[in-house]
Amino acid sequence: MNTEMPDQPAVAQDKPASMAPVARPSGQRWPRLWGPRMWKLLALAVALTLYRFWVVKHSGISLFFDESQYWDWSRQLSWGYFSKPPLIAGLVGLSTSLFGSGVLGVKALSILVYPLTAVAMVGLARALWPTSSGVRTGMVAGALFLTTPLAGLLGLVASTDGPLLLCWTLAAWALWRAQVTNRLGLWVLCGAVVGVGIMDKYTMAAFGLTAIWALWGVHGPKRGLLRLGPWVALLVAAAIVSPNVWWNAQNGFPTMHHTAELTAQSGRHGGFVPMIVFALGQLLMLGPVTVVAALWLLKQTANAGNASIPPSQWAASSQMMPPSQWRASSPVLPPSQLNMPGARDAANGDGRPQAIRTSAYYLASMSSYRFLWALSIPLLLVAVAQAFYADAHVNWAAPSMIGLIMLVASRLSQPLVPLAAPRPNRWLAAVLVSNLVLTSLVLHARDIAGDNLPSKYDILVRMRGWQEAFDQLAPVMEEPTIAGLPVLADKRLLLSQTAYHWRRFNPKIVAWNPKNLQTNHYELTQSLSNKVGQDLVLVTDEANPKAILQRFAIVREMKSAVVPTGPDRSLALHVFFLRGFLGYDEKSYLEQSSGGAPSSDQ
């Protein structure tokens, strides 16, 4: 049965103003999600997903070192890791179990999360603007999201950003529906999604700022904290996050300390310039033409002026009042009474008649937009302040893009107008095409400019050369004197890349850690013990790492590999065979060797 309501329903018969509000028609339904527009959105999602798989394969890239670390984590699942909560490791583990441990296998599920987010945005739009045109706005938002540089670039890597964007969108839907209905089940769902999001990345905790505003700022049967729902949501989220908190407590809270250090004690310096660069990065994530279109259309709307309510036929549409959207809220006057002279007499301080202020149209048009701003502004302000204080990476405020994209989509395809109303289709086409062209130019810069492209313009450069270098060095691991020995390195990048690219040898990876630091996962869990006499294989990017070599009795260089990754950049790796560890310092050696003098042959 087609459950979509008409956009121009018959005008309700007028009733005296003194009568109680009329009941909503029994045949009301939420506007339909599935239809030609949804299939078009899914077709776009499939095409872009296949394209991104092809880019990964065609470009010959390997894993970014964070990805290889997540892969390494996925082999030993835990409730927490040094720099991240556990969800990303579980996602990569599931992805490799389904698609294999190759580069595409590691990335597959993370890439597929982005189309799911686009579909979730359609559901969010229908909740905010429960009309057929509102659903269409969601379709535009989903298409806009899929084509933004945000999704086009982050969507190529296995990272915490993809699941975080999905959880942020689903949490926004659940929070809105929970607030406008006050149903306990929706509060439970909201808490569960927020908890899962925090288990992906602690940035999800910033959603609490949006939630605090929504408790008072979104119209609903009840507002504020003096009710059960918000507290149940908080308890559910806390219960889901509790295993990670327990793991942190057992290990000295490394993840929380790491997050705090990144936020407050970044190695890079903040200031006005980093803050401006960060802000420009946010605009680039949306796309330059997207920003221009949004500003232009917003200006046009302001110049034209908005009517307080649409024509009475549209206001009468039962789509504006789906079941439970504003149940038990302020009485909604019959549409036929909205323009009656008596209604104008009850105007409030803002000049809007009481009848209009309690209409479903007003609630949808005002609360929904404010909610989307509240979904974006708090996190953006936090990230901008972080950029000024200690610099910030461009993706740290990525979830704020969800609300901004929805707001832009509402200008490109207005949600509270008849479907036949004119739209700025040229702007929509320009935004989608320009975003695709911009992202493609960035990804294919090397294909276009050739091998002479400076490395700083190649966004994929740090993922190039690793497979080739480790393939060149692989014969060393097959030599009888070396096979089975632990592999040592002094950088997290080298440890994670070695673990992944030599996975067929399944080496034991150990970190060089003479100061007993805990600045990464490997130092926390896999540091080389200060035990004299150990034999190891060293992988390093230094031709002569004296600080390490001088602490072994016998040192032999086995093989080196140099792989050009650009005209001004190359990847160099060296492998050494190390015999007879002398301890991290002389004191350790003397204590364990009964006072014997160390010797070395280098």
Side-chain angles (χ1 to χ4, degrees):
M1 180 178 70
N2 187 345
T3 60
E4 186 171 7
M5 300 302 295
D7 288 298
Q8 297 289 345
V11 180
Q13 184 177 358
D14 289 349
K15 300 288 183 183
S18 60
M19 292 185 63
V22 296
R24 291 172 297 192
S26 60
Q28 292 172 173
R29 294 291 186 272
W30 282 91
R32 185 176 61 180
L33 281 177
W34 294 98
R37 294 185 191 89
M38 178 61 87
W39 292 117
K40 290 178 182 178
L41 177 63
L42 292 179
L44 176 65
V46 169
L48 289 177
T49 301
L50 292 176
Y51 165 71
R52 284 161 189 162
F53 279 128
W54 177 82
V55 168
V56 172
K57 195 71 176 177
H58 166 75
S59 61
I61 60 174
S62 183
L63 299 181
F64 190 59
F65 72 89
D66 278 342
E67 294 178 285
S68 59
Q69 180 175 247
Y70 300 151
W71 171 85
D72 200 14
W73 291 354
S74 73
R75 299 191 296 167
Q76 297 178 342
L77 294 179
S78 175
W79 284 115
Y81 300 93
F82 177 85
S83 59
K84 294 290 187 296
L87 191 142
I88 184 61
L91 183 67
V92 170
L94 178 61
S95 187
T96 55
S97 67
L98 293 173
F99 304 107
S101 58
V103 173
L104 280 176
V106 173
K107 296 173 179 283
L109 286 186
S110 295
I111 294 175
L112 293 175
V113 164
Y114 288 84
L116 293 179
T117 303
V119 174
M121 293 177 76
V122 180
L124 175 59
R126 185 175 73 158
L128 296 174
W129 306 294
T131 65
S132 296
S133 56
V135 173
R136 183 178 63 186
T137 302
M139 303 292 180
V140 172
L144 182 58
F145 171 77
L146 288 172
T147 59
T148 55
L150 166 73
L153 301 180
L154 294 181
L156 286 178
V157 298
S159 72
T160 55
D161 294 307
L164 178 62
L165 289 167
L166 177 59
C167 288
W168 195 273
T169 307
L170 294 175
W173 178 90
L175 175 62
W176 173 267
R177 292 289 296 136
Q179 177 62 17
V180 300
T181 65
N182 203 35
R183 291 179 179 175
L184 187 60
L186 288 168
W187 285 113
V188 171
L189 178 60
C190 181
V193 175
V194 170
V196 172
I198 294 175
M199 290 292 273
D200 174 68
K201 193 173 184 179
Y202 290 157
T203 304
M204 188 73 202
F207 187 82
L209 300 174
T210 299
I212 291 172
W213 176 89
L215 294 179
W216 284 271
V218 174
H219 183 88
K222 293 184 179 180
R223 303 192 189 190
L225 290 170
L226 298 180
R227 48 184 165 146
L228 183 62
W231 296 105
V232 169
L234 183 62
L235 289 175
V236 170
I240 292 175
V241 176
S242 59
N244 180 249
V245 176
W246 175 255
W247 180 90
N248 271 275
Q250 295 294 103
N251 292 275
F253 294 98
T255 317
M256 298 179 182
H257 288 159
H258 172 74
T259 304
E261 288 175 359
L262 281 179
T263 303
Q265 301 176 13
S266 172
R268 301 182 297 173
H269 299 291
F272 284 105
V273 173
M275 183 178 69
I276 293 172
V277 170
F278 176 81
L280 291 175
Q282 305 312 298
L283 298 180
L284 289 175
M285 289 174 74
L286 283 172
V289 178
T290 306
V291 177
V292 172
L295 294 175
W296 178 263
L297 294 172
L298 189 62
K299 179 182 178 182
Q300 279 194 327
T301 302
N303 290 339
N306 288 325
S308 296
I309 59 172
S312 59
Q313 279 191 320
W314 176 238
S317 172
S318 60
Q319 293 183 56
M320 290 309 309
M321 295 175 285
S324 301
Q325 177 75 0
W326 287 285
R327 185 181 62 172
S329 60
S330 301
V332 179
L333 296 183
S336 58
Q337 296 183 24
L338 289 175
N339 289 319
M340 293 182 66
R344 293 278 171 188
D345 295 336
N348 291 276
D350 61 0
R352 296 185 180 89
Q354 179 64 28
I356 294 174
R357 288 173 59 83
T358 57
S359 71
Y361 177 86
Y362 176 78
L363 296 175
S365 63
M366 299 306 294
S367 293
S368 303
Y369 291 113
R370 291 170 180 170
F371 179 74
L372 291 175
W373 283 114
L375 202 63
S376 301
I377 295 301
L379 180 58
L380 269 177
L381 291 178
V382 170
V384 168
Q386 160 65 20
F388 178 78
Y389 179 72
D391 209 350
H393 293 285
V394 71
N395 65 318
W396 284 6
S400 65
M401 296 296 109
I402 297 297
L404 296 179
I405 288 171
M406 295 284 291
L407 288 166
V408 173
S410 72
R411 299 299 90 201
L412 294 169
S413 178
Q414 293 188 41
L416 298 173
V417 299
L419 285 174
R423 292 188 297 159
N425 289 323
R426 291 184 178 178
W427 272 117
L428 175 59
V431 167
L432 296 180
V433 171
S434 65
N435 279 345
L436 289 174
V437 170
L438 175 61
T439 305
S440 298
L441 287 175
V442 172
L443 293 177
H444 296 287
R446 188 167 180 175
D447 295 330
I448 297 171
D451 293 337
N452 293 325
L453 177 73
S455 297
K456 64 181 180 180
Y457 299 121
D458 183 4
I459 197 171
L460 305 177
V461 69
R462 290 196 288 173
M463 292 183 275
R464 300 189 189 278
W466 291 101
Q467 189 63 62
E468 294 85 345
F470 278 100
D471 283 346
Q472 293 181 29
L473 299 174
V476 171
M477 295 297 290
E478 298 173 348
E479 294 191 13
T481 57
I482 288 180
L485 290 180
V487 176
L488 173 70
D490 62 345
K491 296 182 177 68
R492 177 171 67 98
L493 178 149
L494 295 175
L495 289 162
S496 62
Q497 295 287 27
T498 300
Y500 177 75
H501 290 96
W502 277 355
R503 60 191 180 279
R504 59 185 169 131
F505 302 116
N506 194 28
K508 178 183 178 182
I509 303 296
V510 292
W512 178 257
N513 192 9
K515 296 182 180 179
N516 196 27
L517 301 176
Q518 293 186 356
T519 62
N520 60 58
H521 169 76
Y522 295 101
E523 289 180 350
L524 177 67
T525 62
Q526 295 169 232
S527 290
L528 174 65
S529 62
N530 194 16
K531 181 180 179 181
V532 171
Q534 301 177 74
D535 297 343
L536 301 107
V537 176
L538 172 65
V539 175
T540 179
D541 56 2
E542 298 179 37
N544 185 23
K546 292 183 178 179
I548 298 176
L549 300 184
Q550 66 184 3
R551 300 311 305 162
F552 287 84
I554 298 176
V555 173
R556 179 158 50 109
E557 184 173 3
M558 301 298 296
K559 193 174 180 63
S560 296
V562 179
V563 178
T565 57
D568 53 355
R569 183 186 178 108
S570 61
L571 174 64
L573 295 179
H574 311 274
V575 177
F576 292 84
F577 169 60
L578 309 178
R579 170 160 289 176
F581 182 43
L582 304 176
Y584 284 123
D585 51 42
E586 293 297 319
K587 179 180 178 182
S588 299
Y589 175 78
L590 294 174
E591 289 177 350
Q592 296 183 47
S593 61
S594 300
S599 61
S600 62
D601 179 12
Q602 300 186 35

